Amino acid sequence: MNPVLLPLLVALPLTGAALLAVFTSRTAVRLLLPATAALGLAGGLALLGATGGGGILVHQVGLWPAGVSIPLAADAFSALMVTTTALLVLVCSLFALATGEAERRYFAPLVLVLSAGVYGALLTGDLFNLFVFVEVMLLPSYGLMAIAGTLRGLRGGRTYVTVNLLTSTIFLAGVALVYGTAGTVQLGELAGAAQRSPAVAAAMGLVLLAMAVKSAVVPVHGWLVRTYTAPSPAVTALFSGLHTKVAIYAIYRLYAVVFEGQASLLWIGLVVFTATMAVGVLGAVGETTTRSILVFHMVSQIGYILLGVALFTELGLMAGIFYLVHHMVVKASLFLSTGAVEHAYGTGDLERLRGRARGEPLLALAFLGAALSLAGLPPFSGFVAKLTLVTAAFDAGRWTVAAVAIAVSLITLMSMLKIWGSVFWGRPPEPETETGAESGAGTGTAATATAVHTAPPRLRTALVLPAVALTAVTLCVGLGAEVLLDLSAQAAAHLLDTSTYVEAVTNR
């Protein structure tokens, strides 16, 4: 792949968004949205092919000299992330088309602008432009939060906007301090700067704090629980795979390049990320809706992913990167499978859903497979991810961390079984015979109950297939784990020894 094509990964979805902002017909949306997402996936696969042997692609945008231009760089780590991101954008877009949400005005352009921001954040080799691309990612997200038009969505959007504006301010202040202390924001030129200068270390600490908030690390995780239950299922699934994962990617990259894996600070990550695992899974225990349980588990799994950078060994980094890719796929699958039920039945309340496996066996199978993968059971990718991570913790002498990781997995399995038993298993509830009009319930409460308990027509295949496809991916990754493990090992090698990345980005 020619490095000159790197900017196209950002330009292509922006062009698609511009076209869809003008051509708003149903046909245009149904053609351009999945086609643009599919081209992004093809570009990601091309990146994987070009970097799979350990190579790095670099392009200075506009052919300006290094230090002046915006550097875009792709190694095995960023190529993996771009490919997984494109896959999720494609699958979530197909789900939104199946529910009809994609045909809402500006939904499709906002999704494509969001994906462009993510691609740019994953490829940039410049700290300030990382901030710019993160903001490009966030701005359409504000619209997607509010596009449902419900009061709940608006409340969640208000919290989402407030937290992200505050965090972006901290992020920008950190970038300014890095420039003021180091005289540059180019990642290649910042290599090892935090170890040489306490002032740069403090400034970069502010940047990492902002990334930790955006990653929803305990104790700054409350915003995630309040906001990710508010938008539509398609938007929640999309956000779960992209937003916090960009911040996690940035933590891996920045700590490896700027701090060069400084060992004296790793204990902070071990404490915080272990707490994140435990608090997230315990928070899910008392929840009563499918999405709230899954969001709390999302917090818990973020702790698992970031343990890789806290261990900062070859095996630990490899396990963390493998876990990151696995989690993006599995969590989106779970949100889409439960989202299909929520779309059809009008609720995600566990008390009002039961026995859906009989009517939708394929969807139930998709949920079960993804749930078992999240809990870390074979033959799915979650088993390989957790086994590798726990092994890395044991090898590093972090016995307590490994024990917590195993215990959290058991509780995760219990929560997944809770959703399975409440939503899919058992006998469906008997249809209500009393309607809101007959009972005199002017508010429509009884009518709502009737709508929930009375089974609607079977879900269309288009609504079920996105979750099935992602569950199939986690199964294939689990059965053929060696491929992703090799790619993760190459990505980890570039984080342990950043000299090749630094040389490529600075064009030395």
Side-chain angles (χ1 to χ4, degrees):
M1 180 177 178
N2 194 322
V4 176
L5 299 177
L6 284 177
L8 286 180
L9 286 168
V10 179
L12 181 65
L14 290 178
T15 303
L19 291 174
L20 285 173
V22 176
F23 303 103
T24 59
S25 68
R26 179 179 181 181
T27 302
V29 171
R30 288 188 169 272
L31 288 176
L32 284 177
L33 177 58
T36 306
L39 287 174
L41 179 57
L45 292 173
L47 276 185
L48 274 181
T51 60
I56 298 178
L57 299 178
V58 178
H59 177 66
Q60 308 292 340
V61 177
L63 300 180
W64 289 92
V68 177
S69 69
I70 299 173
L72 297 181
D75 61 0
F77 190 14
S78 52
L80 267 175
M81 292 296 293
V82 167
T83 303
T84 311
T85 295
L87 173 64
L88 296 186
V89 171
L90 175 59
V91 173
C92 292
S93 296
L94 292 175
F95 182 85
L97 286 169
T99 62
E101 185 175 12
E103 296 171 14
R104 290 184 175 180
R105 187 166 178 81
Y106 299 124
F107 179 92
L110 290 174
V111 167
L112 292 180
V113 174
L114 165 63
S115 66
V118 174
Y119 296 147
L122 296 173
L123 294 173
T124 185
D126 181 275
L127 192 59
F128 176 73
N129 286 292
L130 174 62
F131 166 78
V132 172
F133 281 122
V134 167
E135 292 307 300
V136 172
M137 174 186 75
L138 287 174
L139 286 174
S141 302
Y142 302 149
L144 290 171
M145 286 289 295
I147 204 167
T150 63
L151 181 60
R152 180 184 179 187
L154 292 175
R155 286 173 177 171
R158 181 179 61 188
T159 302
Y160 185 83
V161 170
T162 302
V163 171
N164 277 287
L165 286 178
L166 176 60
T167 308
S168 295
T169 302
I170 297 172
F171 187 9
L172 185 59
V175 172
L177 289 173
V178 169
Y179 185 77
T181 54
T184 182
V185 288
Q186 212 253 26
L187 288 184
E189 297 175 359
L190 286 171
Q195 293 213 34
R196 297 189 298 269
S197 168
V200 175
M204 280 303 304
L206 202 59
V207 173
L208 291 179
L209 173 62
M211 292 297 98
V213 177
K214 290 182 181 292
S215 299
V217 171
V218 169
V220 286
H221 65 291
W223 68 270
L224 189 77
V225 179
R226 290 177 178 271
T227 58
Y228 274 39
T229 55
S232 68
V235 173
T236 300
L238 189 64
F239 283 10
S240 73
L242 305 188
H243 280 183
T244 55
K245 308 314 179 292
V246 168
I248 290 171
Y249 168 85
I251 291 174
Y252 269 83
R253 181 72 75 188
L254 296 179
Y255 196 78
V257 173
V258 183
F259 286 85
E260 292 186 335
Q262 187 173 343
S264 60
L265 300 176
L266 294 180
W267 68 271
I268 300 174
L270 287 171
V271 172
V272 173
F273 304 148
T274 303
T276 301
M277 284 193 303
V279 171
V281 77
L282 292 176
V285 172
E287 295 300 314
T288 58
T289 65
T290 56
R291 260 204 276 182
S292 59
I293 292 174
L294 293 176
V295 171
F296 265 110
H297 278 297
M298 186 175 166
V299 174
S300 178
Q301 302 298 307
I302 286 167
Y304 276 99
I305 298 168
L306 286 171
L307 273 182
V309 74
L311 295 171
F312 215 86
T313 61
E314 183 177 1
L315 184 58
L317 289 169
M318 181 187 75
I321 293 168
F322 186 101
Y323 207 118
L324 174 56
V325 175
H326 142 78
H327 181 262
M328 291 171 71
V329 172
V330 168
K331 184 57 70 172
S333 177
L334 288 169
F335 276 122
L336 291 178
S337 58
T338 57
V341 174
E342 185 177 335
H343 173 76
Y345 292 85
T347 182
D349 194 331
L350 298 181
E351 294 296 326
R352 302 166 71 183
L353 294 167
R354 191 170 69 249
R356 305 308 173 190
R358 296 191 178 193
E360 302 295 337
L362 187 60
L363 185 65
L365 191 62
F367 172 84
L368 183 61
L372 294 178
S373 185
L374 188 73
L377 296 181
F380 301 97
S381 61
F383 173 72
V384 181
K386 289 194 176 180
L387 177 62
T388 311
L389 192 61
V390 170
T391 302
F394 276 122
D395 286 351
R398 307 297 182 181
W399 298 80
T400 303
V401 173
V404 172
I406 294 172
V408 168
S409 293
L410 296 175
I411 302 175
T412 300
L413 178 59
M414 292 170 57
S415 293
M416 293 301 101
L417 291 176
K418 178 181 178 181
I419 296 178
W420 172 258
S422 298
V423 177
F424 294 101
W425 199 244
R427 184 181 297 276
E430 295 296 328
E432 296 284 342
T433 57
E434 183 181 23
T435 64
E438 291 169 347
S439 63
T443 59
T445 303
T448 302
T450 302
V452 170
H453 290 310
T454 302
R458 290 195 61 177
L459 300 182
R460 291 181 293 116
T461 304
L463 202 61
V464 177
L465 283 183
V468 173
L470 292 181
T471 299
V473 170
T474 185
L475 177 60
C476 292
V477 171
L479 294 175
E482 186 176 355
V483 176
L484 184 54
L485 284 173
D486 286 344
L487 291 171
S488 300
Q490 293 174 21
H494 282 154
L495 294 178
L496 278 174
D497 181 5
T498 60
S499 58
T500 306
Y501 180 85
V502 169
E503 182 178 355
V505 173
T506 54
N507 198 26
R508 291 175 184 168

